[in-house]
Amino acid sequence: MRLIVVDDYNKMSEKAAIMVASQIILKPNSILGLATGDTPLGMYKELIKMYNNKEIDFSNVKSFNLDEYYGLSKNNAQSYNYYMKENLFKHINIKEENINIPDGTAKDIEAECKNYEKRIQDQGGIDLQILGIGVNGHIGFNEPDITFEAETHLVNLDEKTIESNSRFFDSIEEVPTKAISMGIKTIMHSKRIILLACGESKAEAIFKTMKGKITPKTPASILQLHNDVTVIIDKEAASKL
Ligand code: PGA
């Protein structure tokens, strides 16, 4: 794992955006794996700036998001579909048909998961996957004790995740308890991975991910076995390394 420690959130966002931009410049039809949450917001802002400056072109880029809440429609303001539209897609020239996000309202969830996985494989896999990390070491919604072999599937959210994500909802009761998530196997098949983290609250998870035992108790620890992971974190998130 390549480690880059930066001063703050803005520096992390800039560095990550530069890596994504280089990927797109070198391969205009890149398949990007995208993440939601607070962590990548700054990176998306930087990418929008680069797009407006005509430094990058998303017209041939395809994207696959890591996850989506089960039961939330894409018009729900808490859905990741909505988040992606508001924070990135509506500001750039990615084509609607090139955007892939699991459908949390699909009638047949199992078929939706299988189909999502197949769509990724049909594209030849993800070129560059962006990851945040949960305070419990999750990546995507692969919560502690997940099986490393899993592909895209329906997951039960961990209590810590529900608590942490309740900040986006009016009350904790409104946080969905399930989600569709790419599995660890899906993520590990990505050609390159960038893991982002900021703040003291992520320090323990980062320590266990990079220096701990490879164990399903810290899902991100499996990344130690991937041959092209760049970890970009601020000083606080690096404080336990
Ligand atoms: P955050 O979430 O970016 O909002 O901290 C990261 C995650 O839970 O994967």
Side-chain angles (χ1 to χ4, degrees):
M1 288 169 136
R2 214 171 294 124
L3 174 65
I4 302 177
V5 181
V6 294
D7 283 343
D8 55 29
Y9 181 80
N10 289 341
K11 289 264 167 354
M12 177 199 75
S13 305
E14 281 165 23
K15 283 224 183 293
I18 289 169
M19 283 188 69
V20 176
S22 318
Q23 171 70 40
I24 297 171
I25 290 165
L26 292 171
K27 186 179 179 220
N29 61 346
S30 287
I31 313 296
L32 299 182
L34 299 178
T36 50
D38 280 336
T39 310
L41 280 176
M43 180 192 76
Y44 292 145
K45 286 208 176 90
E46 288 297 321
L47 287 170
I48 294 165
K49 258 196 246 164
M50 290 180 190
Y51 167 72
N52 287 332
N53 291 337
K54 305 206 179 341
E55 292 165 42
I56 42 174
D57 171 19
F58 290 86
S59 60
N60 290 310
V61 167
K62 294 196 169 95
S63 71
F64 284 88
N65 263 77
L66 275 170
D67 43 24
E68 177 59 287
Y69 285 121
Y70 174 68
L72 296 195
S73 81
K74 61 178 180 190
N75 301 321
N76 187 309
Q78 311 302 341
S79 74
Y80 288 161
N81 228 295
Y82 192 91
Y83 167 108
M84 287 309 301
K85 192 168 75 192
E86 290 303 309
N87 294 305
L88 182 65
F89 296 150
K90 77 176 190 190
H91 306 283
I92 60 173
N93 66 338
I94 190 166
K95 294 186 181 119
E96 182 77 35
E97 67 266 28
N98 288 343
I99 295 171
N100 298 276
I101 303 181
D103 177 2
T105 61
K107 289 232 163 52
D108 184 343
I109 289 291
E110 212 173 303
E112 170 65 12
C113 293
K114 277 216 173 85
N115 179 270
Y116 197 70
E117 193 69 31
K118 184 173 180 308
R119 268 147 63 200
I120 296 173
Q121 280 163 21
D122 287 350
Q123 295 299 329
I126 287 165
D127 290 311
L128 178 61
Q129 175 68 55
I130 306 298
L131 297 175
I133 186 168
V135 290
N136 62 3
H138 77 195
I139 44 177
F141 272 137
N142 294 286
E143 303 287 26
D145 294 326
I146 201 94
T147 64
F148 283 150
E149 294 78 25
E151 297 188 326
T152 301
H153 63 308
L154 186 68
V155 294
N156 290 315
L157 300 184
D158 190 71
E159 258 174 53
K160 275 207 179 128
T161 300
I162 293 175
E163 193 185 302
S164 163
N165 289 7
S166 64
R167 68 192 192 275
F168 300 113
F169 292 80
D170 289 338
S171 71
I172 195 160
E173 288 73 35
E174 283 178 32
V175 186
T177 56
K178 291 176 196 287
I180 296 176
S181 178
M182 280 186 199
I184 293 289
K185 191 170 168 187
T186 325
I187 294 170
M188 287 297 280
H189 277 158
S190 310
K191 296 178 187 95
R192 298 167 67 211
I193 296 176
I194 301 177
L195 176 70
L196 302 174
C198 250
E200 179 69 41
S201 68
K202 300 288 172 73
E204 183 73 21
I206 287 293
F207 173 77
K208 287 184 177 161
T209 296
M210 299 193 71
K211 301 272 159 123
K213 228 171 70 182
I214 298 172
T215 163
K217 294 201 181 316
T218 308
S221 63
I222 191 76
L223 296 174
Q224 290 177 30
L225 298 181
H226 193 283
N227 64 10
D228 195 343
V229 179
T230 304
V231 178
I232 312 177
I233 54 180
D234 72 348
K235 286 182 190 151
E236 281 79 31
S239 59
K240 295 206 158 123
L241 291 176

